[in-house]
């Protein structure tokens, strides 16, 4: 496709299947002879099989044109193209996530790079200068030859301002790289360089060398790269340079016996939800356990989100709760549309697993955090406590009214009335908020829910305690990233904690497993006696 989408010369292809699902963006650097024009670039995408792959996999394919050869292109080329085009690819399927005005979402977490021959050399040089940009990279018949940016400081492109003391070099950022080369000696320098930063504890941080004679037009090789590499690695947006992780694709997640797929019907809509029991526990053995809901953000369905923030591994570790991850229609939550489904699921969980209905907790990220807050206002009797993470200040009703990425100027009247009724009716609701210090979407200082939660929980206006790595978030307690946390705890007159606000250092719009750990430690103490507006502490 050719369009006025970038000031750079490029060919791009948008899958006709791409819509509300997370959309991978694949950057393809073709051999020199195939990079001299848009027409030759297009022909290479057909011959190599990448256009067919993009179509089938609901992806966007972006192919830069190097009119004067790859050596003439700046190493910033791919980042420049990403920044120019990320909100410019229009849906062909007629479907797009609400709030994007019909454009597809080029997620920072699922960008991939593949290069061939001279294009592989250029792509490898880009990887040295921007190792944090891509989740997965494959280089075929070409290796980098410019290591001049190896010791340069990280661009920490996922956050705007790193805290003082963040001094990570490009050479220290792990990558997920597959090299296809017929000369092992030629490739060894790249293997050694990129391999130095990998951790044996994280299988997503890997450098693999395949030695052999590979053709640039081998469509089976392209298919293998996508299915075995690009489909199984993600760079979570949870730190300045992101964190690599392995991930199942949708089909694998749905087939995984650990996640029990169920369906609930509310109104005219059907909702998939996935039940996760603590490891090695059967349905009979979880009788009486509490229930934790985890809600995905906008555009990030349950199959991608469920293992993102560590609730599943925490369930295995503590063996103290059942986890339910719920999917929303169109990958976005609207409280007026979706509020009925939670009671339906809770009823089903009581019937099938005999959960402790006095200890049901609701957690969510981003748009899921908005939904978490609003469910507390809308149906407080269902929950003993909530934990919204990285929730923007505005409401889901305002989002529902207009297909626009700009935040509303004020709260929708329906939600403002809902909040008022919630408070005047005398409900209590313990709440653990989480925010990132570099989150452009959600700011802890713009939290209209905080004052409300302090009032309904009868908390003092100033925090009674402050938790840091020195007095709470220690390795002994299982916190791996505790130095990034600072938590203000608000208590009642009797010094019982009811509200907390955690700000995470060097955190963009993302989440990490330590959040789930603290949220559970905070929420697990509360229960709501059946029919009561009050929440009690089980201790």
């Amino acid at each position: 496709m050719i369009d006025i989408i970038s000031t750079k010369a490029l060919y791009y292809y948008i899958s006709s299947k791409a819509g509300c699902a997370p959309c991978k963006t694949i950057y393809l650097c073709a051999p020199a002879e195939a990079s001299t024009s848009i027409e030759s670039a297009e022909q290479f995408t057909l011959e190599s099989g990448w256009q067919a792959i993009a179509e089938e996999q609901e992806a966007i394919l972006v192919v830069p044109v190097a009119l004067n050869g790859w050596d003439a292109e700046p190493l910033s080329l791919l980042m420049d193209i990403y920044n120019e085009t990320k909100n410019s690819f229009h849906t062909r399927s007629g479907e797009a996530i609400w709030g994007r005005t019909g454009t597809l979402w080029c997620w920072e977490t699922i960008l991939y790079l593949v290069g061939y021959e001279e294009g592989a050399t250029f792509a490898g040089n880009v990887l040295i200068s921007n190792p944090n940009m891509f989740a997965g990279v494959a280089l075929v018949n070409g290796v980098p030859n410019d290591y001049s940016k190896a010791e340069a400081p990280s661009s920490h492109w996922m956050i705007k301002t790193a805290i003082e003391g963040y001094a990570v070099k490009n050479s220290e950022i792990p990558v997920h790289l597959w090299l296809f080369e017929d000369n092992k000696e030629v490739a060894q320098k790249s293997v050694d360089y990129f391999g130095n930063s990998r951790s044996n504890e994280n299988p997503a941080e890997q450098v693999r060398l395949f030695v052999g004679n590979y053709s640039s037009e081998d469509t089976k090789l392209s298919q293998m790269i996508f299915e075995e590499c690009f489909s199984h690695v993600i760079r979570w947006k949870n730190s300045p340079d992101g964190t690599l992780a392995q991930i199942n694709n949708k089909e694998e997640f749905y087939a995984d016996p650990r996640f029990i797929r169920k369906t609930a019907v509310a109104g005219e809509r059907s909702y998939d939800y996935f039940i996760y029991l603590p490891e090695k526990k059967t349905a009979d053995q979880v009788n009486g356990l509490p229930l934790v809901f985890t809600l995905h953000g906008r555009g990030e369905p349950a199959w991608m989100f469920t293992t993102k923030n560590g609730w599943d591994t925490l369930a295995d570790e503590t063996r103290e709760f059942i986890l339910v991850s719920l999917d929303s229609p169109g990958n976005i939550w609207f409280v007026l549309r979706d509020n009925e489904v939670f009671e339906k699921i809770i009823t089903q969980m009581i019937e099938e697993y005999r959960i402790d209905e006095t200890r049901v907790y609701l957690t969510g990220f981003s748009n899921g955090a908005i939904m978490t807050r609003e469910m507390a206002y809308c149906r407080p009797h269902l929950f003993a406590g909530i934990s919204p993470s990285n929730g923007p200040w505005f409401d889901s009703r305002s989002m529902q009214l207009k297909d626009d990425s700009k935040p509303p100027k004020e709260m929708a009247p329906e939600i403002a009335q809902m909040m008022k009724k919630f408070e005047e009716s005398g409900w209590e609701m313990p709440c653990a908020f989480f925010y990132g210090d570099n989150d452009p979407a959600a700011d802890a200082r713009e939290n209209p829910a905080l004052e409300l939660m302090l009032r309904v929980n009868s908390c003092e206006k100033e925090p009674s305690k402050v938790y840091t790595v020195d007095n709470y978030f220690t390795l002994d307690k299982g916190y791996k990233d505790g130095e990034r946390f600072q938590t203000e705890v608000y208590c009642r007159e009797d010094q019982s904690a009811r509200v907390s606000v955690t700000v995470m250092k060097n955190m963009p719009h993302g989440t990490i497993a330590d959040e789930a750990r603290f949220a559970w430690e905070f929420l697990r103490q509360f229960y709501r006696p059946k029919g009561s507006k009050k929440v009690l502490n089980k201790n």
Side-chain angles (χ1 to χ4, degrees):
M1 295 182 182
I2 305 170
D3 198 353
I4 303 174
I5 198 170
S6 169
T7 60
K8 310 294 188 297
L10 58 87
Y11 170 79
Y12 67 92
Y13 182 84
I14 303 170
S15 171
S16 65
K17 300 179 181 181
C20 297
C23 187
K24 290 181 171 66
T25 307
I26 304 166
Y27 291 84
L28 170 60
C29 295
E33 63 182 16
S35 302
T36 56
S37 68
I38 290 177
E39 291 75 17
S40 63
E42 178 182 10
Q43 184 63 29
F44 183 76
T45 69
L46 296 170
E47 294 173 350
S48 62
W50 280 104
Q51 183 160 305
I53 291 170
E55 171 62 23
E56 181 62 27
Q57 300 296 333
E58 306 178 22
I60 297 170
L61 182 65
V62 179
V63 190
V65 174
L67 298 175
N68 299 308
W70 286 113
D71 289 343
E73 296 295 337
L75 295 177
S76 63
L77 175 67
L78 301 185
M79 182 66 80
D80 293 341
I81 290 174
Y82 172 78
N83 287 327
E84 284 191 18
T85 63
K86 60 182 177 181
N87 297 317
S88 303
F89 297 109
H90 286 271
T91 177
R92 294 175 58 205
S93 66
E95 294 184 356
I97 299 167
W98 188 256
R100 304 294 295 184
T101 61
T103 61
L104 300 172
W105 200 329
C106 298
W107 292 76
E108 298 98 323
T109 56
I110 47 178
L111 306 179
Y112 303 90
L113 174 61
V114 58
Y116 291 84
E117 300 176 15
E118 298 89 351
T121 296
F122 177 78
N125 294 340
V126 169
L127 184 61
I128 290 170
S129 63
N130 287 102
N132 50 15
M133 182 176 177
F134 301 100
V137 178
L139 305 180
V140 183
N141 296 332
V143 295
N145 60 12
D146 181 358
Y147 291 82
S148 61
K149 301 294 183 182
E151 300 308 302
S154 156
S155 64
H156 56 73
W157 78 291
M158 290 188 172
I159 67 171
K160 185 176 181 180
T161 306
I163 61 170
E164 186 177 354
Y166 187 79
V168 175
K169 300 176 182 178
N170 286 331
S171 60
E172 297 170 336
I173 298 173
V175 300
H176 188 105
L177 172 64
W178 285 15
L179 292 158
F180 299 85
E181 176 63 51
D182 65 353
N183 190 322
K184 183 177 179 180
E185 287 69 28
V186 168
Q188 195 60 49
K189 181 177 181 179
S190 297
V191 172
D192 293 341
Y193 170 79
F194 289 110
N196 283 335
S197 60
R198 68 178 296 270
S199 166
N200 291 328
E201 298 178 359
N202 184 356
E205 299 175 3
Q206 62 174 255
V207 180
R208 298 181 65 180
L209 173 60
F210 301 81
V211 178
N213 186 15
Y214 298 97
S215 168
S216 298
E217 298 176 4
D218 186 347
T219 58
K220 290 183 179 179
L221 176 62
S222 303
Q223 194 72 36
M224 188 270 279
I225 290 171
F226 186 91
E227 292 180 353
E228 302 298 327
C229 181
F230 293 175
S231 283
H232 292 96
V233 64
I234 194 165
R235 187 178 287 273
W236 289 124
K237 190 178 178 181
N238 58 15
S239 66
D241 300 303
T243 301
L244 287 170
Q246 289 189 318
I247 189 171
N248 286 338
N249 60 33
K250 180 179 179 179
E251 292 74 21
E252 292 166 337
F253 179 85
Y254 275 53
D256 191 334
R258 298 179 304 157
F259 300 97
I260 304 167
R261 183 184 177 188
K262 298 282 187 176
T263 301
V265 177
E268 299 178 352
R269 292 179 174 83
S270 178
Y271 298 77
D272 278 349
Y273 64 98
F274 300 87
I275 303 166
Y276 188 88
L277 308 181
E279 188 176 24
K280 296 181 181 179
K281 276 188 176 286
T282 66
D284 290 336
Q285 292 172 329
V286 298
N287 290 349
L289 286 184
L291 173 65
V292 174
F293 280 99
T294 181
L295 303 184
H296 63 76
R298 180 175 59 164
E300 193 173 42
W303 70 262
M304 175 178 280
F305 175 75
T306 299
T307 59
K308 174 181 179 179
N309 56 1
W311 277 108
D312 57 329
T313 55
L314 187 65
D316 290 341
E317 176 189 330
T318 64
R319 306 172 71 78
E320 293 178 344
F321 61 88
I322 301 173
L323 180 68
V324 165
S325 184
L326 178 60
D327 259 334
S328 64
N331 286 338
I332 190 169
W333 295 104
F334 299 129
V335 71
L336 299 186
R337 181 193 69 183
D338 302 320
N339 71 83
E340 294 181 7
V341 71
F342 292 88
E343 193 154 10
K344 297 286 183 70
I345 294 175
I346 291 170
T347 298
Q348 291 180 14
M349 295 297 293
I350 292 171
E351 293 174 354
E352 295 183 34
Y353 296 96
R354 295 197 286 265
I355 63 165
D356 182 352
E357 61 183 299
T358 70
R359 299 179 67 207
V360 177
Y361 310 100
L362 182 59
T363 75
F365 170 74
S366 191
N367 171 237
I370 295 174
M371 186 67 174
T372 295
R373 295 194 310 250
E374 293 173 358
M375 283 302 300
Y377 312 147
C378 178
R379 294 179 180 264
H381 63 286
L382 298 177
F383 309 107
I386 65 170
S387 180
S389 174
N390 297 75
W393 70 266
F394 48 84
D395 63 278
S396 69
R397 178 56 177 165
S398 296
M399 295 175 67
Q400 188 178 13
L401 291 173
K402 191 175 182 182
D403 185 10
D404 194 337
S405 59
K406 296 179 181 178
K409 294 182 179 180
E410 58 186 15
M411 197 76 70
E414 298 96 324
I415 306 303
Q417 182 61 31
M418 195 182 290
M419 296 170 71
K420 181 179 180 182
K421 183 178 179 181
F422 166 70
E423 180 175 9
E424 292 178 346
S425 298
W427 291 96
E428 295 178 351
M429 186 65 68
C431 182
F433 295 100
F434 290 90
Y435 291 94
D437 66 346
N438 268 264
D439 188 342
D443 192 326
R445 295 166 295 185
E446 298 175 349
N447 183 4
L450 175 58
E451 290 188 6
L452 173 61
M453 288 301 178
L454 292 179
R455 292 196 300 269
V456 301
N457 288 291
S458 302
C459 291
E460 298 175 353
K461 293 183 178 180
E462 298 297 325
S464 303
K465 308 170 186 176
V466 177
Y467 294 159
T468 66
V469 68
D470 296 323
N471 62 12
Y472 192 94
F473 299 109
T474 63
L475 285 172
D476 290 343
K477 295 189 67 174
Y479 289 95
K480 296 181 179 180
D481 293 287
E483 74 281 355
R484 297 176 67 184
F485 279 43
Q486 179 164 310
T487 299
E488 294 182 338
V489 182
Y490 296 83
C491 298
R492 296 180 166 191
E493 287 187 0
D494 62 3
Q495 291 304 294
S496 61
R498 284 297 178 105
V499 177
S500 68
V501 180
T502 299
V503 176
M504 297 165 284
K505 298 174 183 176
N506 282 334
M507 177 64 83
H509 194 59
T511 181
I512 56 177
D514 278 356
E515 285 183 60
R517 183 176 297 278
F518 179 71
W520 178 238
E521 289 177 0
F522 183 87
L523 294 173
R524 66 190 294 273
Q525 62 189 308
F526 302 113
Y527 71 99
R528 185 185 298 280
K530 194 169 183 178
S532 175
K533 293 183 178 181
K534 303 298 180 183
V535 171
L536 304 180
N537 190 309
K538 68 185 184 73
N539 297 324

